[in-house]
Amino acid sequence: MTKIAIIGAGLSGLVTAHRLKDHFEVEVFEKSVAPGGRIATRYADPFRFDHGAQFFTARSNSFKEFLIPLIDQKAIARWDARFVEYEKNQIVSRRDWDDEYPHYVGVPGMNIIGRELAKDISIHYQTHIEQITFDGQWQLTDQHHSKRYFDWVILTLPPAQAQALIGPDINFHHQVSTAKMQGCYSLMIGAEEIDLGWDAALVKSADISWISVNSSKPGRDAYFSLLVHSTNRWADQNIDMPIEQVTDYLLDEVKMVIAQPMNIKHAQVHRWKYANCPKQAGERSLIDNKNQIAACGDWCIRGRIESAFLSAEDVSSKILESLKAV
Ligand SMILES: Cc1cc2nc3c(=O)[nH]c(=O)nc-3n(C[C@H](O)[C@H](O)[C@H](O)COP(=O)(O)OP(=O)(O)OC[C@H]3O[C@@H](n4cnc5c(N)ncnc54)[C@H](O)[C@@H]3O)c2cc1C
């Protein structure tokens, strides 16, 4: 049976593994301890934070269909947030998210999505693939210098990390080397409860772009928590700033925007070097049949959960077609 290695257990890697596992021998390699990638939840007892993706929407029929079992088993629910827009520290608009355009979250945390999808898939965690070389077969080498052999490799990593693994002989090397990702800082705040009058806020004309009352999402515990994102622009300009300095700066920005006293019990920042990417015009996924390697991920389409899914679906169809398994 054809052996396929998928590098990365974010949403695109997990969806690709699901689509291919009944046709081939599939193994997934993930450098961190858990699945989900940028769909992540951080625990800082008693507080919980979704410090990566906040929510997602579903426009395509295939993504809507994919969500049905997760909704049925209550791993995903709608978040009907009271939504506001701030212009610096002034609220300029208000509306409630509703049926017209549902916003979904994982329950009780965004990380449940990766956990559910990781079931029934062979995943090697804490396995950082540092080198891949092709000589009729692919040889993967991890951080412990262990070597494993596969017929095909699928890269589901942000482009800079994918580029580190491939050479210019791969036909999508150019796309991988020129795709740009933007950074983001996530500030996690645990505090005594205050009434802001909203659950989610888009912020303009500041160095933060988003504040959510994380604890207002469905199925969360009662501890009041806020999740704040810096703008991508500020993060890129300050990506090497010491994390304590970033924390202080972003705390000042939040206090400026919400203009209410807060009794803060916990504050922590996570740095996402590769968080997001603007809309792309090219193919939804990339394949090099001669070299038996492919790549997918949100960055092929747009920095969104649904894009990661659509890119994975696309690469899976291309592999099935290429190996005539359809
Ligand atoms: C702060 C932030 C906020 C966001 N907000 C939203 C939002 O509100 N709505 C929305 O729709 N989207 C949002 N997104 C984007 C969304 O999270 C992504 O589009 C989606 O999760 C990307 O999935 P992916 O599988 O393509 O990549 P990833 O999730 O990045 O998966 C790649 C995986 O590869 C692993 N990896 C990397 N290198 C190696 C290696 N050498 N060896 C082994 N494993 C490796 C990584 O650890 C990771 O698990 C947000 C992202 C961030 C960071």
Side-chain angles (χ1 to χ4, degrees), residues 7-13 29-32 36-39 51-56 127-129 156-158 161 165 184 186 229 272 275-276 297-298 303-306 308:
I7 309 182
L11 185 76
S12 61
F29 297 88
E30 169 55 53
K31 67 177 177 167
S32 68
R38 280 172 274 157
I39 308 177
H51 62 299
Q54 293 299 289
F55 63 86
F56 56 96
T127 307
H128 189 166
I129 301 302
T156 72
L157 326 167
Q161 292 168 327
L165 293 176
C184 179
S186 297
H229 284 155
W272 296 98
N276 221 311
D298 65 338
R304 291 280 182 278
I305 287 178
E306 183 169 15

Side-chain angles (χ1 to χ4, degrees), residues 162-224:
Q163 191 207 355
L165 293 176
I166 60 167
D169 52 318
I170 303 301
N171 73 7
F172 52 77
H173 182 260
H174 176 73
Q175 286 95 317
V176 166
S177 357
T178 50
K180 291 262 175 295
M181 297 284 288
Q182 301 158 316
C184 179
Y185 285 106
S186 297
L187 169 63
M188 298 161 255
I189 301 175
E192 270 178 27
E193 184 149 5
I194 50 172
D195 184 13
L196 292 164
W198 47 261
D199 305 315
L202 194 70
V203 183
K204 295 197 176 136
S205 306
D207 289 329
I208 57 174
S209 57
W210 169 262
I211 311 173
S212 70
V213 181
N214 201 91
S215 44
S216 73
K217 293 177 178 178
R220 269 55 178 178
D221 50 34
Y223 295 97
F224 183 80

Side-chain angles (χ1 to χ4, degrees), residues 3-5 7 29 127-143 145-155 164-166 291-293:
K3 287 183 73 177
I4 299 185
I7 309 182
F29 297 88
T127 307
H128 189 166
I129 301 302
E130 293 190 333
Q131 196 185 35
I132 59 171
T133 49
F134 187 60
D135 185 11
Q137 250 199 336
W138 282 101
Q139 176 185 281
L140 273 59
T141 309
D142 68 19
Q143 77 274 29
H145 310 291
S146 297
K147 298 188 191 313
R148 295 180 182 87
Y149 297 87
F150 292 88
D151 301 304
W152 273 78
V153 170
I154 306 176
L155 306 169
L165 293 176
I166 60 167
N291 289 301
Q292 295 169 208
I293 187 166

